């Protein structure tokens, strides 16, 4: 096996390790690291949880003295010392360990780091190879990259629709458009993201729990968009108030807001036109709560608002071979496009069959 193939093998291992922490590091990146000497892995690790030890620290500690003269494979440029940093810089750990070569998948997008650690490694005589499996590394850290570049979390629109583009019957009934296999995929995805966002209309209509049930995994934070503070006090989502954020308009009914506050429900007021809240402003607040990724699971009203504000990054739409007809509720409301040229285009679409349903995923922004 050639050296470049071995490099690919070890970097793939580092990426696999990083994915073990998907959804657990909040606003931090997920990172995997492997230390190799004489074609043998002598240490490996990954950033397991927000505030925990970094991947390089774990891997080098396991490698011990074997790290001297070894090659280290890491999915993201090691962190660099800067003001306000909470953990010791990994780049110094790598240098002090005496490794001779550092293979890095991608440069850190954080301007406080970007390229500085690479330069320091080179300055200390360590050979650096940058860009191996870069696309894969960027893919697994898409939420972190979006947050660093824009200050906003990654937003994935999840919808279940019929073949004729309906999200519900004219009565509002939507259980279940998609099949069990599709719903299992949704629950798995929920467990890997930081938050689920729905509008109060969905809460009123379906009274959902918005948790992870069909697979093992942790429950994401529930974000309810409720401009006028109309959420029913017996709604299931209110039972887990510690894992909930209620977003209301600054002009929402104060008496209702106070009732929720007395129940220790976190209520955040956001500006917006009467009966709405500004979604971009809402999203900009979420990183404070450790949120870098959001699954937008609301109905047509919330989805239409999100598309108009251009805050949706990706879609995850399940198409079921059912037909509801013209009186069904369309998945997207009025957008005001007067030409096909103005239509929102889905880039890099992928298609997957799920026991009769079709999952379409793609990128908007």
């Amino acid at each position: 096996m050639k050296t470049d193939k071995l490099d690919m093998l070890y970097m793939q291992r580092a990426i696999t390790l990083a994915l073990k922490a998907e959804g657990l590091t909040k606003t931090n990146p997920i990172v995997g690291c492997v230390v190799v000497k004489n074609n043998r892995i002598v240490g490996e690790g990954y950033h397991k949880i927000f505030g925990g030890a970094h991947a390089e620290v774990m891997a080098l500690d396991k490698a011990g003295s074997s790290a001297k003269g070894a090659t280290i494979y890491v999915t993201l440029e090691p962190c660099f010392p800067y003001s306000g940093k909470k953990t010791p810089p990994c780049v110094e750990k790598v240098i002090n360990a005496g490794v001779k070569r550092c293979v890095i998948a991608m440069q850190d997008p954080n301007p406080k780091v970007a390229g500085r650690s690479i330069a320091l490694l080179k300055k200390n005589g360590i050979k650096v190879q940058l860009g191996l499996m870069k696309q894969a590394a960027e893919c697994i850290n898409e939420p972190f990259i979006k947050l660093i570049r824009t200050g906003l979390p990654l937003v994935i629109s999840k919808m279940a629709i019929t073949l004729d583009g309906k999200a519900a019957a004219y009565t509002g009934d939507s259980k279940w458009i998609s099949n069990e296999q599709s719903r299992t995929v949704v629950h798995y995805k929920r467990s890997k993201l930081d938050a689920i966002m729905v509008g109060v209309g969905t809460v009123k209509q379906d009274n959902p729990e918005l948790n992870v049930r069909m697979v093992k995994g942790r429950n994401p934070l529930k974000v309810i968009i409720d401009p006028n503070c109309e959420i029913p006090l017996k709604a299931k989502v209110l039972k887990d108030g510690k894992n909930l954020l209620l977003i209301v308009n600054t002009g929402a009914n104060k008496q209702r807001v106070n009732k929720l506050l007395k129940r220790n429900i976190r209520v955040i007021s956001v500006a917006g036109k009467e009966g709405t809240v500004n979604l971009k402003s809402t999203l900009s607040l979420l990183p404070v709560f450790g949120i870098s990724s959001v699954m937008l699971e609301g109905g047509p009203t919330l989805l239409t608002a999100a598309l108009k504000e251009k805050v949706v990054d990706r879609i995850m739409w399940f198409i079921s071979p059912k037909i509801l007809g013209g009186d069904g509720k369309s998945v997207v409301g009025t957008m005001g496009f007067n030409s096909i040229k103005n239509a929102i285009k889905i880039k890099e679409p992928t298609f997957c069959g799920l026991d009769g349903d079709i999952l379409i995923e793609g990128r908007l922004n």
Side-chain angles (χ1 to χ4, degrees):
M1 187 178 284
K2 293 182 179 179
T3 303
D4 58 343
K5 290 185 178 180
L6 281 171
D7 284 341
M8 291 280 287
L9 181 68
Y10 295 131
M11 185 59 79
Q12 181 60 64
R13 175 59 183 167
I15 288 173
T16 300
L17 287 168
L19 284 169
K20 288 186 176 184
E22 189 176 18
L24 300 177
T25 59
K26 297 185 178 181
T27 53
N28 281 355
I30 57 173
V31 182
C33 180
V34 175
V35 183
V36 177
K37 190 171 186 180
N38 299 325
N39 292 333
R40 184 174 66 89
I41 295 177
V42 294
E44 60 181 29
Y46 64 98
H47 181 37
K48 292 184 177 181
I49 194 167
F50 181 80
H54 286 191
E56 300 93 322
V57 173
M58 294 186 68
L60 289 169
D61 282 349
K62 288 180 181 178
S65 60
S66 295
K68 189 172 183 179
T71 296
I72 187 170
Y73 297 82
V74 61
T75 57
L76 181 71
E77 178 181 4
C79 57
F80 188 86
Y82 58 82
S83 177
K85 194 178 184 309
K86 296 179 181 179
T87 56
C90 291
V91 67
E92 293 180 356
K93 180 82 172 181
V94 174
I95 293 168
N96 294 334
V99 302
K100 69 175 182 180
R101 181 169 171 252
C102 185
V103 182
I104 302 169
M106 63 172 285
Q107 182 175 291
D108 194 324
N110 188 338
K112 293 180 179 179
V113 178
R116 299 176 74 186
S117 289
I118 293 172
L120 189 59
L121 290 169
K122 291 179 178 178
K123 185 178 179 180
N124 282 271
I126 298 173
K127 295 180 180 178
V128 177
Q129 181 182 340
L130 175 65
L132 181 66
M133 300 187 71
K134 177 185 176 183
Q135 188 173 5
E138 290 177 340
C139 182
I140 66 173
N141 264 313
E142 192 174 8
F144 174 69
I145 295 170
K146 168 81 185 295
L147 183 61
I148 287 295
R149 290 178 177 171
T150 69
L152 301 174
L154 184 80
V155 178
I156 301 173
S157 163
K158 170 264 165 183
M159 294 297 290
I161 62 176
T162 62
L163 203 59
D164 55 342
K166 306 301 179 183
Y170 74 91
T171 60
D173 178 50
S174 61
K175 291 186 176 181
W176 296 102
I177 287 178
S178 58
N179 63 32
E180 185 174 349
Q181 189 172 345
S182 294
R183 296 197 299 275
T184 301
V185 171
V186 171
H187 280 259
Y188 173 78
K189 192 67 175 179
R190 280 181 179 180
S191 73
K192 301 299 181 182
L193 298 178
D194 296 321
I196 302 174
M197 180 181 287
V198 302
V200 70
T202 296
V203 176
K204 287 181 175 180
Q205 178 65 40
D206 300 334
N207 196 19
E209 295 179 73
L210 300 180
N211 56 13
V212 173
R213 300 184 300 279
M214 301 180 77
V215 299
K216 289 184 178 181
R218 62 101 175 91
N219 291 319
L221 185 73
K222 304 163 191 177
V223 181
I224 312 298
I225 306 298
D226 185 11
N228 297 319
C229 198
E230 301 170 323
I231 190 167
L233 297 180
K234 293 184 179 180
K236 291 179 181 177
V237 292
L238 295 181
K239 293 180 181 179
D240 186 16
K242 292 181 180 179
N243 199 36
L244 173 74
L245 282 180
L246 191 72
I247 310 297
V248 302
N249 185 283
T250 49
N253 186 295
K254 291 184 179 179
Q255 289 183 337
R256 288 190 63 83
V257 169
N258 287 334
K259 283 183 180 180
L260 293 166
L261 291 174
K262 288 179 181 179
R263 292 176 58 176
N264 294 319
I265 304 297
R266 291 180 293 184
V267 182
I268 299 177
S269 298
V270 177
K273 295 179 181 178
E274 186 176 353
T276 68
V277 297
N278 184 284
L279 292 178
K280 188 168 284 188
S281 296
T282 298
L283 290 166
S284 70
L285 297 173
L286 297 186
V288 174
F289 299 93
I291 296 172
S292 63
S293 58
V294 176
M295 181 176 280
L296 191 73
E297 290 201 39
T301 301
L302 181 59
L303 173 61
T304 303
L307 290 173
K308 285 184 175 180
E309 288 196 42
K310 298 181 179 180
V311 296
V312 178
D313 298 292
R314 289 190 168 273
I315 66 162
M316 184 181 181
W317 287 15
F318 298 83
I319 301 177
S320 175
K322 299 180 177 76
I323 296 173
L324 275 175
D327 55 352
K329 294 192 174 183
S330 295
V331 63
V332 180
T334 302
M335 293 293 294
F337 297 144
N338 61 5
S339 170
I340 295 296
K341 293 180 180 179
N342 297 328
I344 297 170
K345 298 175 180 63
I346 306 302
K347 302 173 183 178
E348 301 170 4
T350 61
F351 306 85
C352 176
L354 295 168
D355 195 25
D357 287 356
I358 298 174
L359 168 58
I360 298 181
E361 296 185 273
R363 179 170 57 84
L364 275 72
N365 296 328

